[in-house]
Amino acid sequence: MLDLLPEPLKAWLGPDVTFWLGYFTNGKHIAFFVSVHYTVLAALLGAACALVFGLMGAALWTSRNPWLRWPGAVYVNMVRGVPDVLFFLFFPLAFEQAMEWMRASAVCTPEAAAERAGQWPPCPDANIFFSTYEYLALACVSLGIVYGAFAANVIAGAMRSVPRGQLEAARAFGLSARQVLWRVHLPQMWIYALPGLSNVWMLIIKATSLLSLLQIADIVQLANRLGAPNFSRSAGLVHGDWRWGYYLVLLVFYIGLTFVSERVFAALTRRASRGMAIEGAAR
Amino acid sequence: MTLVDAIWADVVALWRPALLNIYFAFASIPLGFVLAIFVALGKASRNRPLSRLASGYIYAFRGSPFFIQLFMFYSLMLALNLSVWKPLGIDTIVLNPLVLGPAILALNTTAYSAEIFHGALMAVPRGELEAARAFGMTRAQIFRRITWPNMLRLAWPAYTNEVVFLFHATALVYFTLPVIDGNADLMNKAGELFERDYNALLHYSVTAMFFLAISLCIFLIFGTFYRHLMRHTEGPKRIKFTTARL
C-alpha cells in the first residue's frame, strides 16, 4: 500500500510516519478494515429482517383471532425477560442442528448411527459446516428475530397512534378494510413508529458487535488478534499488548455510527412528518 | 430419563451459575445508581465544562456496545498489569472477574441511568421549586425535600427497565473475562451443558427461564417500591416495560 505514495510525499512525511503508515496498512490491517463489511451487512440485513419480523409480529399480536394473538403476544413479550445474546447464540445452533438432523435421517445408515449413539451429529456424513457468509445470514436472521420483537412493539403502538378520524374518513369514502389498511393506516403509521424504530436500529448496531460469537472474523475478533502481544523468533517482541488501543478505535467507530444514525433518523423524521399534524412536524 | 427429570437436572445445574449473574447485577447496581445521580446532576449543572463532561460520558457509553466496553477495559487492565497492578500487589484483585465485571457493568449502567435521572431532573415541577425557594429553604433542603423525591418518582419506571437490561447484560461478562475458580455464569454453564449432549433446545430454554424468572422478580421488587413511592397518589401504579434501552 505504501508504494502507492509518491516519493516526495514520503520524504516530506519522514521515516517514522511512513513506517507507521506502512504498519497500519499491512495485509493484516487491510483485512481488519475490510472486515467492517460484516458489521455493516449484519446491521443493514438484520434491520431489514427485524422490520419484516416486526410487521408480522405486530400483525399477529393485534389480530382478533386468539390463536394468532397468543403466539404474537408470547413472541413480543419473550424478549422482555431473556437477554438478546441467548437468542443470538441459540438460533444459529438450533438451525444448524435441525439441518443436520434432516440430513442425518437421509444419509446416516443405522450402523453408523448406532456407533455414535449419544453424539452429535448422528453420523460423520451428516455434519454440516457453514461458511462465514452462511453464518452471517444466520446472524442476520437471529438479529431479526430478537429485534423484530422490539420493532413489533413499536409498530403495534404506532398503529394505535394513527388518529381514528383518518381511518373513519377512509371508511366513509367507501374504501374496503384492506384498502384502509394499505393506503391509509400503514402509510401513516411510519411517522409514529420512526422514533421507536430509531431506537431499535441503535440496539441492532450495538448487537452487531456480537458477530464474533458466531465464529465470524469480524472487527472485534481481528482487533483481538492484531492487538495481542506479537512475538517473533527473529525480531523478538514486536509489540506488547495493544489490544486496548484497537478496542478504543472500535469504541470510537461505534460512537461514530451512533452519531451518524442519529442525524439520519432526525432527517428522516423531518421528511416523513411533512404535512402531518403532529408535534415537531415540518411545515 | 423423562423430560421433567431432564429439566430438573438442568435447574439443579444452573441455579448456582444464576447466583453469579445476580451477583454481577447486584454488585454493580448500587454503585451505578449513586454514580448516575452525580453524573445526572453534572449534566444538569450550569457549569459548562462539567455539563459537557457528563454529557460526553453518557453519550460515549450509550453509543457504544457493552461488549466492546468489556473488551476495552479488560485489555486496558491487562496492559497496565505489569507496570501498575503487580508492583502495587493488587493484580489479583483488579483482574478478578468478580471485581472487574461489576466495575465495567457499573460504568455502563451509570451512563444509561444518568440519562434517565437527567430526564427526570428536567421534569421536576417548576412550581414546587419556586414555592420551596419562596419558603426560604436552603439549596440542600430544596434538593432533599423537592428535587430528590420528585426525581426518584419520575425516574423509577424507566430505571426499573434499566436494571432489567443491566441484568441481561451480565450474560455478556464471561464472553470476555476469564472464568476463575469454576465461577461460571448462566451462559457459560449453558454452553458447557450443550457441549455435553448437544441438546440446545433443552439447555437454552432452561437458561432462558432462569433469566425470565429473575427479570420478573426484579419487576416485582421494583414495582413494590414504586407503589411505596407513589402511595400518596391516586390511580394505577404499575410499571410499564419499554422495549428500548433508553
Side-chain angles (χ1 to χ4, degrees):
Chain A
M1 272 301 193
L2 207 56
D3 311 333
L4 298 175
L5 285 181
E7 272 313 317
L9 186 62
K10 254 195 252 184
W12 181 74
L13 286 170
D16 277 356
V17 177
T18 38
F19 170 76
W20 288 112
L21 269 179
Y23 182 74
F24 287 117
T25 51
N26 67 11
K28 285 180 175 177
H29 281 85
I30 295 292
F32 174 56
F33 303 140
V34 168
S35 69
V36 172
H37 80 281
Y38 291 127
T39 307
V40 175
L41 268 180
L44 293 176
L45 296 178
C49 286
L51 208 54
V52 172
F53 278 107
L55 282 168
M56 291 196 313
L60 282 179
W61 195 27
T62 52
S63 153
R64 283 201 200 89
N65 182 347
W67 293 105
L68 296 177
R69 198 169 60 230
W70 275 100
V74 168
Y75 169 61
V76 171
N77 289 299
M78 199 169 48
V79 290
R80 295 178 173 189
V82 182
D84 51 356
V85 61
L86 201 148
F87 284 103
F88 193 72
L89 284 182
F90 171 71
F91 174 73
L93 267 181
F95 184 81
E96 194 177 344
Q97 285 203 332
M99 296 291 285
E100 285 177 337
W101 183 77
M102 269 160 54
R103 195 198 268 194
S105 56
V107 300
C108 289
T109 57
E111 298 83 55
E115 209 172 285
R116 286 168 60 94
Q119 289 181 49
W120 193 269
C123 71
D125 293 335
N127 210 348
I128 296 179
F129 294 100
F130 284 129
S131 71
T132 301
Y133 283 101
E134 282 165 335
Y135 265 121
L136 192 68
L138 283 178
C140 292
V141 178
S142 334
L143 283 177
I145 292 174
V146 178
Y147 292 103
F150 289 67
N153 239 299
V154 170
I155 290 169
M159 294 289 274
R160 279 195 296 275
S161 303
V162 175
R164 298 204 73 81
Q166 295 278 346
L167 306 180
E168 278 160 17
R171 243 171 270 138
F173 268 111
L175 300 188
S176 68
R178 184 175 294 251
Q179 280 173 320
V180 172
L181 178 69
W182 287 100
R183 300 199 182 171
V184 181
H185 207 163
L186 280 179
Q188 290 204 20
M189 173 272 285
W190 291 111
I191 180 61
Y192 298 98
L194 256 177
L197 290 180
S198 129
N199 272 326
V200 176
W201 166 250
M202 303 291 178
L203 290 174
I204 291 176
I205 291 182
K206 286 181 232 165
T208 56
S209 64
L210 301 176
L211 287 180
S212 57
L213 299 182
L214 295 180
Q215 339 294 334
I216 297 171
D218 71 332
I219 41 176
V220 181
Q221 202 165 44
L222 289 182
N224 193 13
R225 277 190 219 158
L226 284 172
N230 191 348
F231 192 85
S232 81
R233 199 166 282 178
S234 56
L237 188 67
V238 180
H239 63 73
D241 192 351
W242 283 0
R243 275 176 293 185
W244 68 272
Y246 284 89
Y247 287 129
L248 193 62
V249 170
L250 290 191
L251 213 68
V252 173
F253 166 73
Y254 273 105
I255 294 169
L257 268 186
T258 307
F259 181 78
V260 171
S261 306
E262 268 179 8
R263 290 295 136 100
V264 170
F265 267 100
L268 265 180
T269 309
R270 261 200 311 280
R271 204 184 138 66
S273 55
R274 280 173 315 166
M276 299 284 291
I278 65 158
E279 189 100 13
R283 273 171 244 282
Chain B
M1 198 157 74
T2 64
L3 182 64
V4 177
D5 288 336
I7 290 174
W8 183 246
D10 265 20
V11 170
V12 170
L14 286 167
W15 79 266
R16 200 175 167 278
L19 288 182
L20 220 75
N21 285 83
I22 295 173
Y23 163 76
F24 278 138
F26 275 68
S28 53
I29 286 164
L31 185 61
F33 181 82
V34 174
L35 286 176
I37 302 287
F38 283 107
V39 175
L41 287 173
K43 186 174 176 180
S45 149
R46 272 198 219 100
N47 184 341
R48 281 296 280 276
L50 186 68
S51 166
R52 285 273 173 79
L53 194 70
S55 307
Y57 177 85
I58 293 173
Y59 196 83
F61 276 85
R62 288 173 74 233
S64 57
F66 175 61
F67 197 50
I68 308 274
Q69 290 164 16
L70 265 175
F71 270 120
M72 222 282 282
F73 284 102
Y74 178 53
S75 52
L76 190 62
M77 291 298 156
L78 276 182
L80 292 175
N81 188 24
L82 282 179
S83 57
V84 183
W85 313 130
K86 270 258 163 64
L88 288 172
I90 52 171
D91 53 323
T92 48
I93 302 169
V94 174
L95 292 177
N96 190 325
L98 297 185
V99 177
L100 195 54
I104 304 169
L105 278 165
L107 287 179
N108 181 268
T109 189
T110 295
Y112 283 95
S113 314
E115 185 64 24
I116 292 167
F117 291 139
H118 178 255
L121 217 51
M122 295 290 105
V124 171
R126 192 167 285 266
E128 291 189 20
L129 293 173
E130 278 163 7
R133 231 170 286 141
F135 267 116
M137 285 189 182
T138 62
R139 285 182 63 178
Q141 273 177 320
I142 293 175
F143 180 79
R144 207 167 56 80
R145 302 199 165 191
I146 315 291
T147 314
W148 171 255
N150 268 310
M151 187 194 76
L152 206 59
R153 267 180 222 125
L154 289 167
W156 201 255
Y159 185 66
T160 306
N161 287 321
E162 166 52 25
V163 169
V164 173
F165 275 114
L166 176 82
F167 175 65
H168 290 179
T170 63
L172 279 173
V173 171
Y174 271 134
F175 286 105
T176 307
L177 302 185
V179 181
I180 60 164
D181 303 333
N183 282 324
D185 78 336
L186 277 173
M187 292 305 292
N188 277 128
K189 194 71 187 173
E192 202 179 293
L193 291 172
F194 168 74
E195 273 163 26
R196 216 176 282 167
D197 60 3
Y198 300 100
N199 194 340
L201 188 63
L202 172 70
H203 301 314
Y204 282 101
S205 301
V206 177
T207 310
M209 284 299 138
F210 266 99
F211 277 110
L212 195 65
I214 299 167
S215 303
L216 285 176
C217 284
I218 294 173
F219 274 121
L220 212 67
I221 294 165
F222 277 67
T224 310
F225 187 68
Y226 188 59
R227 273 199 298 282
H228 174 75
L229 281 178
M230 303 296 278
R231 63 197 179 281
H232 61 292
T233 60
E234 283 180 14
K237 302 176 178 91
R238 287 195 48 212
I239 291 176
K240 197 176 173 303
F241 187 88
T242 55
T243 44
R245 196 179 182 193
L246 296 170

